Amino acid sequence: AQRDPHMAMHAMKVQHVAVLIAREMELPERVIKRVETAAMLHDIGMLAMPDSVLLCPTELDEQKMYLMRRHPLLSVQIMEGMEFLEQEIPAVRYHHERFDGSGYPEGLAGAAIPLTARILAVASDFDGLTNGSLAEHVYTTDKARAALRDGLYTHYDPAVVEALMQ
């Protein structure tokens, strides 16, 4: 939050949306708590990013993008030493995987991606679209929902997007 106030707000918004999605999906309370905690920590690996990457005002070049794509693994490295976060690690590690297997860090697809990570992906991208960090312009809620629907079966789990729509 001190380096980039946007990151703290992003984490809080992702946490809020992710919990709403998990509740809509009628997940057990223990899973909802995991989603809540994982959402707050999903980008903690950004702490290890150099300012030249984290605060870059332009599109990231190939080298900077490589570093940025390491943040889920860096997040896991930070969390691994804390046993009480063991259940949240899969959500954090895989929140950039895509339903069609085109994501990172491992190229997982479909049900191989933990449900908690699929929830974080939708919540994080919804916030990114509505706050302008994922798009050239800030999307309205309706336009962001349409963009997520466009990503069904490629980027996002349809069941998770449907829960967001509700």
Side-chain angles (χ1 to χ4, degrees), residues 3 12 24 27 35-36 47-48 52 62 70 76 81 90-91 94 107-108 117-119 126 136 138 150 160:
R3 287 176 69 202
M12 289 188 322
E24 181 64 31
L27 298 178
V35 166
E36 183 176 35
L47 290 170
S52 63
E62 191 174 321
R70 290 186 32 82
V76 168
Y94 300 117
L108 300 180
R118 288 180 269 150
I119 291 170
F126 180 77
E136 197 172 310
V138 175
D150 288 346
V160 176

Side-chain angles (χ1 to χ4, degrees), residues 72 89-97 104-106 108 113-114 117-118:
I89 287 175
V92 172
R93 181 182 187 104
Y94 300 117
H95 76 276
H96 280 290
E97 297 290 355
Y104 61 91
E106 295 177 25
L108 300 180
I113 305 166
R118 288 180 269 150

Side-chain angles (χ1 to χ4, degrees), residues 40-57:
M40 185 52 72
L41 297 172
H42 77 284
D43 283 338
I44 197 168
M46 295 290 196
L47 290 170
M49 286 294 120
D51 284 346
S52 63
V53 174
L54 184 63
L55 305 175
C56 184

Side-chain angles (χ1 to χ4, degrees), residues 10 33 38 59-61 96 111 119 131-132 136 146 150 155 159 166:
H10 173 68
K33 287 293 181 195
E59 191 172 324
L60 299 179
D61 62 26
H96 280 290
I119 291 170
N131 76 32
E136 197 172 310
D150 288 346
H155 280 56
Q166 296 303 316

Side-chain angles (χ1 to χ4, degrees), residues 87-165:
Q87 299 295 315
E88 288 79 4
I89 287 175
V92 172
R93 181 182 187 104
Y94 300 117
H95 76 276
H96 280 290
E97 297 290 355
R98 295 298 180 226
F99 207 65
D100 66 357
S102 66
Y104 61 91
E106 295 177 25
L108 300 180
I113 305 166
L115 177 59
T116 54
R118 288 180 269 150
I119 291 170
L120 288 187
V122 170
S124 182
D125 285 4
F126 180 77
D127 179 59
L129 290 168
T130 56
N131 76 32
S133 66
L134 274 186
E136 197 172 310
H137 305 287
V138 175
Y139 280 32
T140 64
T141 299
D142 288 340
K143 191 172 179 182
R145 286 178 178 200
L148 292 174
R149 274 194 197 102
D150 288 346
L152 290 180
Y153 298 105
T154 56
H155 280 56
Y156 311 109
D157 178 337
V160 176
V161 173
E162 181 56 36
L164 174 73
M165 299 304 151

Side-chain angles (χ1 to χ4, degrees), residues 21-32 35 115 119:
I21 291 169
R23 289 199 189 288
E24 181 64 31
M25 295 180 80
E26 299 180 356
L27 298 178
E29 193 60 35
R30 64 179 165 52
V31 176
I32 293 170
V35 166
L115 177 59
I119 291 170

